[in-house]
Amino acid sequence: MGEMQGKTVEIEVTNVAHGGVAVARHEGRVIFVSDAIPGERVLARITEDSKKSFWRAETLSVITASEHRRPHVWAAASIDRAPEDRAGGAEFGHIDIAHQRELKRQVLADSLSRMAGVTTEATVEALPGPHNGTGWRTRVRLQVAEDGTPGPYAARSHRVIAVTDLPLATPALAAIAPLDEKFPGSAHVDIVVPSVGNPFVLAGGATNADRGRAHRITERVGEREFRLDARGFWQVHQHAAETLTRAVQDAVDESLFDPRASNLDLYGGVGLLAAAVGDRFGNHVRITTVESDSLATDHAAENLVEWTGAAAVTARVEQFLRGLGATAGAHERDSLRRGTVILDPPRSGAGKEVVAELVALGPAQIVYVACDPVALARDVALFAAGGYELGGLRAFDLFPNTHHVEAVATLTRA
């Protein structure tokens, strides 16, 4: 612990950083500060000064407010509370929604410029829903305190905060959230409201061992239905699956798409984006969806059954690609080079190994669905070094009132 930790400082907030924090400087030192907005002057408490290059701080009060500041959409996360008592999960809730999107645009543009040398004019597109960015979550995980009380963690900690409402949740989810019940012995409580059928409240232990087929649910996207496990991955915003389906369909360059090539859907989950490609290009499409979760690939096989050329493979993506590279003959290599790859990695991005394997296979185009702008920018730079350039890019506000932003990028051989 350094000598500044716990000290209060008055700082000018200059710009936004990745991760839901703003940037300020104090005596030449960079400070990443939460609950502030660029342009504000705030009173903040230093929470971490052990790093030589920067400190972290939390806003205690606002001295000069931004014109974009509004009352927090979630009273439990308001600046009126002590920082340690503020609920986490809505870290942009004090910012006007249009300015939230502008800040997310800046983070995406700055990341691509700094890490990949790419300039983008992409704006962050809104999804349908209330104008203040509430009422969109169809899935919420509440943590459980030692006394059995459920709630979100406090921002940047593992302390459970009791709350009386969940404003980011859809009205249907908020109506069944067991906020005043106790769950002794559980690690967390999952509330899931699928678009078809009954909602679920699932108390769980510390592992995923309690996942099971007893909790199969159905999600509808347009005219298509997907089966999945209630605790399996699905987009959280009630309009996200449909938005990404259309965005991926639009991002694929038809002139480069060969339905009979070896098309791939990597980190494919239960087959949402593979089905998006299939629905755009017809039931003769060949596409293999790859996912490490065997329960998800079981469902993907079922969800993609109408495409005779579709297959669902359970494997880690890097191992699957390594195997392809090692075993593919001349005909299959040609088929892979003519192929389109849908790439939807976790927040950490695809990374060096997966990018290197893809570059070696040399597909005609890659549609990259990214939930982290810094990971995307890093991977775009890696692809550029391998001869791929960024073409189209769109960004979507899939997580209003948080710092998260989704992007869909198309990469083609330069």
Side-chain angles (χ1 to χ4, degrees):
M1 185 183 291
E3 61 185 30
M4 282 300 293
Q5 190 150 341
K7 296 274 178 69
T8 300
V9 291
E10 193 174 307
I11 49 180
E12 298 275 358
V13 184
T14 53
N15 54 328
V16 66
H18 179 49
V21 291
V23 182
R25 279 181 171 76
H26 180 71
E27 297 176 356
R29 176 84 56 175
V30 171
I31 302 177
F32 293 117
V33 58
S34 59
D35 296 319
I37 306 173
E40 292 189 326
R41 187 169 187 83
V42 303
L43 196 64
R45 182 168 61 208
I46 305 297
T47 58
E48 184 184 313
D49 69 346
S50 56
K51 297 263 195 332
K52 289 185 177 148
S53 57
F54 65 87
W55 295 343
R56 292 193 181 276
E58 51 201 10
T59 299
L60 297 175
S61 62
V62 180
I63 298 164
T64 309
S66 164
E67 62 182 332
H68 305 294
R69 181 172 282 274
R70 64 175 181 186
H72 205 293
V73 295
W74 194 7
S78 170
I79 199 163
D80 301 333
R81 287 186 165 207
E84 60 273 18
D85 293 331
R86 294 173 196 161
E91 63 279 3
F92 271 11
H94 60 291
I95 307 172
D96 175 75
I97 197 77
H99 195 59
Q100 289 184 34
R101 295 188 189 116
E102 166 58 18
L103 295 177
K104 294 179 192 192
R105 184 202 66 77
Q106 289 176 23
V107 170
L108 178 62
D110 291 350
S111 300
L112 284 164
S113 173
R114 190 177 71 254
M115 302 178 76
V118 170
T119 301
T120 173
E121 300 300 318
T123 58
V124 177
E125 302 175 38
L127 271 65
H131 292 310
N132 66 350
T134 58
W136 53 268
R137 289 195 72 109
T138 61
R139 284 151 172 76
V140 166
R141 169 163 286 188
L142 299 173
Q143 308 300 328
V144 178
E146 281 188 22
D147 69 354
T149 301
Y153 281 142
R156 299 164 298 282
S157 93
H158 284 165
R159 183 163 166 262
V160 175
I161 302 296
V163 297
T164 57
D165 65 340
L166 297 171
L168 300 196
T170 61
L173 193 151
I176 64 164
L179 299 177
D180 53 358
E181 296 179 29
K182 298 282 190 185
F183 295 87
S186 292
H188 49 73
V189 178
D190 290 317
I191 312 154
V192 179
V193 180
S195 51
V196 179
N198 296 325
F200 283 85
V201 177
L202 301 168
T207 71
N208 272 342
D210 46 6
R211 285 177 57 180
R213 293 188 180 279
H215 300 310
R216 271 166 55 110
I217 60 171
T218 300
E219 292 284 0
R220 185 177 291 127
V221 182
E223 299 299 307
R224 183 166 296 286
E225 291 190 345
F226 294 84
R227 302 301 299 273
L228 64 148
D229 182 75
R231 278 201 174 92
F233 176 78
W234 188 257
Q235 290 292 338
V236 174
H237 192 298
Q238 60 182 339
H239 298 292
E242 192 166 1
T243 298
L244 289 179
T245 290
R246 289 180 181 164
V248 166
Q249 288 172 336
D250 293 344
V252 175
D253 183 340
E254 190 169 4
S255 70
L256 294 177
F257 187 81
D258 181 347
R260 300 191 182 281
S262 294
N263 301 299
L264 301 175
D265 172 37
L266 305 178
Y267 309 95
V270 296
L272 173 71
L273 299 181
V277 174
D279 275 333
R280 178 171 176 201
F281 293 103
N283 51 6
H284 297 300
V285 166
R286 279 185 68 197
I287 191 161
T288 300
T289 186
V290 183
E291 166 63 52
S292 61
D293 180 348
S294 61
L295 198 51
T297 45
D298 285 351
H299 285 122
E302 184 181 343
N303 294 330
L304 301 172
V305 71
E306 72 187 65
W307 290 279
T308 54
V313 173
T314 306
R316 291 181 61 83
V317 166
E318 59 272 27
Q319 292 170 348
F320 173 82
L321 293 175
R322 207 179 307 132
L324 271 187
T327 61
H331 177 73
E332 181 63 9
R333 282 194 170 277
D334 176 65
S335 187
L336 287 160
R337 275 187 70 77
R338 290 183 287 110
T340 290
V341 173
I342 310 298
L343 185 62
D344 184 12
R347 204 166 297 288
S348 55
K352 279 186 184 173
E353 190 177 354
V354 167
V355 171
E357 295 288 351
L358 283 171
V359 165
L361 294 174
Q365 63 185 325
I366 298 160
V367 175
Y368 189 141
V369 180
C371 58
D372 186 282
V374 169
L376 171 66
R378 181 205 64 207
D379 288 346
V380 166
L382 292 171
F383 276 117
Y388 282 81
E389 62 184 9
L390 179 66
L393 176 71
R394 293 174 72 189
F396 300 93
D397 198 14
L398 260 55
F399 311 93
N401 291 308
T402 81
H403 74 276
H404 298 293
V405 61
E406 197 91 359
V408 178
T410 305
L411 297 144
T412 53
R413 290 195 294 260

